């Protein structure tokens, strides 16, 4: 069929926590969704209006087979290998590894809970500069890790004032804050800083000879991203404050094809309206004009 469904079970708590997993193929674009099973707790927020219409019409049937420990499926030149325990997802293009999900076992999803006396500070509200934000659903953060075998550089997760190829923020001898995805109007921003600027687009590309791979996390919450140069390739850890895991993998294989595949998901750049063309002078910070 066109959809693989499974149940992830965290057996460590006294009452095991279960999550629904769905894996779909939309041609050369894969979509991995992990969310909690319905319960009495509020559902996690999902973005309603970003993806372009017609995505479901692009569903492509898997050619898959399962063993006691794995499931392997293929669509065209793309092959996916799902390992059950411990959970890992490998994506190969023409037999070459493109990206591996959870190879470093950093997939962590804060599950629903009831408020109790003695809960750690920050679980249910956060204060900063005299302002307090409540969190009625409690902690909902998600952490994932992605490894791009053979890739020496990663790009994307705009917007910030640093090099095109993202510099490592983690690993041996590296002392840096992670890249931050959070919309801010930053005046006199710092140069060569991982701090976020005006926009926040959770899209990252990895490149090696013959293969460019893109990932897009369909999530609007604040994020932090660590980049590490590992022996097997570039490794990335993402942490988001809330929402669900809704991850698209764009398998390219060329940079232009990855860009086109992303455009199918969220749309291409709109042409400017006629009235907006012409001379424009921003009056901000010009006190003598």
């Amino acid at each position: 069929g066109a959809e693989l469904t499974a149940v992830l079970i965290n057996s460590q708590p006294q009452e095991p926590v279960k999550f629904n997993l769905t894996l779909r193929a939309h041609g050369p674009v894969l979509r991995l969704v992990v969310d909690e099973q319905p319960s009495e707790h509020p559902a996690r927020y999902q973005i309603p209006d970003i993806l372009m219409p017609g995505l479901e019409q692009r569903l492509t049937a898997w050619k898959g087979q399962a063993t006691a420990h794995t499931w392997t499926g293929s669509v065209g030149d793309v092959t996916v290998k799902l390992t059950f325990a411990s959970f890992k997802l490998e994506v190969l293009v023409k037999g070459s590894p493109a990206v591996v999900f959870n190879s470093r076992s950093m997939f962590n999803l804060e599950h629903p809970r009831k408020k109790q006396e003695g809960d750690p500070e920050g679980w249910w509200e956060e204060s900063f500069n005299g302002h307090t934000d409540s969190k009625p659903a409690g902690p909902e953060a998600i952490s994932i890790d992605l490894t791009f075998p053979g890739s020496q550089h990663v790009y994307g997760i705009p917007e910030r004032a640093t090099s095109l190829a993202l510099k490592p923020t983690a690993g041996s001898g590296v002392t840096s804050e992670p890249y931050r995805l959070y919309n801010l109007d930053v005046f006199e921003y710092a140069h060569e800083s991982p701090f976020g600027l005006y926009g926040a687009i959770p899209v990252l590309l990895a490149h090696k000879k013959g293969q460019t791979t893109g990932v897009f996390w369909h999530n609007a919450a604040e994020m932090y991203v660590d980049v590490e140069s590992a022996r097997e390739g570039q490794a990335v850890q993402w942490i988001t404050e809330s929402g669900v895991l809704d991850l698209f993998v764009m398998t390219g294989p060329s940079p232009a094809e990855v860009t086109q595949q992303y455009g199918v998901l969220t749309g291409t750049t709109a042409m400017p309206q006629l009235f907006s063309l012409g001379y424009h002078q921003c009056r901000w910070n010009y006190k003598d004009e």
Side-chain angles (χ1 to χ4, degrees), residues 65-241:
Q65 58 181 3
T67 69
H69 305 288
T70 63
W71 177 87
T72 303
S74 61
V75 173
D77 292 332
V78 180
T79 301
V80 172
K81 182 179 179 181
L82 176 65
T83 303
F84 302 149
S86 60
F87 170 54
K88 184 173 70 172
L89 186 71
E90 302 171 76
V91 178
L92 301 91
V93 180
K94 295 182 179 180
S96 176
V99 60
V100 185
F101 177 92
N102 203 39
S103 63
R104 298 188 293 164
S105 300
M106 292 183 175
F107 179 42
N108 196 332
L109 198 152
E110 292 183 320
H111 56 81
R113 65 201 73 205
K114 295 181 180 179
K115 190 174 184 178
Q116 298 181 4
E117 192 72 29
D119 281 344
E121 183 180 355
W123 271 19
W124 301 93
E125 63 180 22
E126 294 180 356
S127 298
F128 180 75
N129 280 352
H131 301 279
T132 299
D133 289 331
S134 64
K135 298 192 289 185
E140 294 185 289
I142 306 174
S143 167
I144 67 171
D145 69 86
L146 300 167
T147 303
F148 300 92
S151 294
Q152 299 301 313
H153 303 285
V154 289
Y155 311 86
I157 53 171
E159 186 173 49
R160 62 200 77 258
T162 187
S163 58
L164 179 63
L166 298 175
K167 298 177 180 178
T169 61
S172 178
V174 178
T175 56
S176 171
E177 293 183 355
Y179 294 101
R180 185 188 187 193
L181 290 168
Y182 188 69
N183 291 5
L184 288 171
D185 186 356
V186 183
F187 177 61
E188 294 184 344
Y189 54 81
H191 183 56
E192 290 297 335
S193 168
F195 198 74
L197 297 180
Y198 300 99
I201 306 175
V203 175
L204 184 139
L205 280 71
H207 179 72
K208 63 182 179 181
K209 185 177 181 180
Q211 177 63 45
T212 301
T213 307
V215 291
F216 164 50
W217 191 345
H218 184 219
N219 188 310
E222 180 179 5
M223 293 184 182
Y224 289 93
V225 184
D226 262 325
V227 175
E228 182 176 351
S229 295
R231 182 175 58 182
E232 61 272 22
Q234 293 294 295
V236 181
Q237 182 187 14
W238 300 55
I239 300 176
T240 184
E241 186 178 38

